[in-house]
Amino acid sequence: MTQTALNLKTAPSHVVLAAAGKTVLRPGGRAATEQLFQWANFQPGETVLELASGLGNSVIALAKRYNIQVVGIEKDPDRVAIAQADARSAGVEHLVRFMEGNIFQLETLSESFDYVLAEAILTMQVSAGKAKILAGIRDRLNIGGKFLSHELLARDHLESLHQDLKQAMHVNATPLTDADWINTFHQVGLTVTQQQTGAMKLLDPIQVLQDEGVGHTVQIVWNMLTQPVLRDRILTMRRVLTQHQADLGYIALCAVREL
């Protein structure tokens, strides 16, 4: 999908941010993702499934960095094709595979994995959707396998937080408290063994610079300056995140399938 085909007034927040040039769309930024990788302690030859792998950046980076086998599942066939081409260009086509698929239908996969990675996906689902995806994740994990998760955290005022996020971001963002996230995992047979929480600073200028680097940050600023609709959407998101900063954060979780 090209940016010219987008209706930026109604597009979901992650699509708008990507159109602006933002590459890191996770609530805790690169630092929270790195924490997940430390907990995982990947070993050469192990297997990873990443949900909603997009253009394949994370899949390719994981394969190159840890010499592990990584499968990315993505619903957009155009993105799958781009990811496959990028993997060939990166010289890791022997380590990675991309497939078109639905994260609500993980039972269609016949293989199991040492790890499943999903970031900023579960928050966007209602309770039944969270449970459906998590059950699929559990079934795709080997016994003793780890689920690496990175999501939005709600601390208080959940109803007003939900409504304001939905209006500003045009997605049904439903973050949970830390206790509710842990319980939701537990209900499908995933036991949380490690967790970390922190502030939600997705659109904080300092974190944007840390996550994106100088070049990408300059491009994001330029795109906002030259595209009024894009600028208005992003500033609206930032106002809501700032308004709820006391009640909103991120949570990184490592959970194990024990049975």
Side-chain angles (χ1 to χ4, degrees):
M1 180 181 292
T2 62
Q3 183 171 328
T4 55
L6 297 175
N7 182 343
L8 293 174
K9 290 185 177 180
T10 60
S13 55
H14 65 280
V15 174
V16 173
L17 292 172
K22 201 165 191 328
T23 61
V24 178
L25 304 175
R26 302 161 188 126
R30 290 188 188 276
T33 298
E34 284 297 317
Q35 180 61 73
L36 293 178
F37 295 168
Q38 289 180 30
W39 289 335
N41 190 27
F42 299 117
Q43 299 299 310
E46 289 186 318
T47 57
V48 181
L49 172 67
E50 184 185 19
L51 305 190
S53 54
L55 296 175
N57 296 330
S58 295
V59 169
I60 293 169
L62 280 171
K64 291 178 69 174
R65 182 173 173 183
Y66 296 104
N67 192 29
I68 53 180
Q69 301 281 333
V70 192
V71 174
I73 184 168
E74 167 60 43
K75 68 178 180 180
D76 185 338
D78 293 335
R79 290 188 169 195
V80 170
I82 292 170
Q84 289 171 335
D86 287 347
R88 288 192 294 271
S89 298
V92 293
E93 66 270 26
H94 62 296
L95 291 174
V96 306
R97 177 163 55 92
F98 295 97
M99 57 172 42
E100 182 182 350
N102 189 328
I103 61 174
F104 286 96
Q105 297 174 346
L106 295 179
E107 68 275 7
T108 61
L109 299 178
S110 59
E111 57 200 297
S112 58
F113 301 85
D114 299 310
Y115 306 89
V116 174
L117 172 65
E119 299 186 272
I121 292 174
L122 295 171
T123 298
M124 306 309 170
Q125 315 301 328
V126 297
S127 296
K130 288 179 173 68
K132 171 66 173 173
I133 294 171
L134 284 168
I137 290 169
R138 176 205 60 214
D139 292 344
R140 298 279 64 78
L141 280 170
N142 296 323
I143 302 298
K146 296 178 180 179
F147 173 43
L148 308 171
S149 177
H150 175 183
E151 296 292 342
L152 279 174
L153 173 71
R155 295 189 175 94
D156 203 352
H157 305 103
L158 271 64
E159 185 59 35
S160 62
L161 179 61
H162 177 206
Q163 293 301 320
D164 289 348
L165 287 174
K166 183 177 180 179
Q167 183 174 5
M169 298 191 169
H170 297 185
V171 292
N172 191 29
T174 313
L176 303 178
T177 65
D178 52 356
D180 286 341
W181 276 121
I182 292 170
N183 185 55
T184 299
F185 283 29
H186 178 73
Q187 287 177 349
V188 300
L190 293 169
T191 302
V192 173
T193 57
Q194 292 163 300
Q195 68 179 100
Q196 174 179 287
T197 62
M200 163 63 164
K201 295 185 177 181
L202 180 66
L203 296 180
D204 177 82
I206 294 176
Q207 181 159 316
V208 171
L209 186 60
Q210 291 173 341
D211 285 343
E212 304 291 344
V214 174
H216 277 153
T217 300
V218 170
Q219 185 62 56
I220 293 168
V221 172
W222 174 254
N223 289 338
M224 290 178 63
L225 289 174
T226 56
Q227 300 181 56
V229 175
L230 191 69
R231 179 176 65 248
D232 290 346
R233 282 293 310 277
I234 292 176
L235 291 178
T236 296
M237 293 179 212
R238 190 169 189 273
R239 281 195 294 272
V240 169
L241 295 180
T242 301
Q243 175 187 345
H244 289 282
Q245 60 184 344
D247 296 323
L248 189 63
Y250 78 85
I251 184 166
L253 300 156
C254 178
V256 175
R257 177 184 177 180
E258 296 183 342
L259 296 175

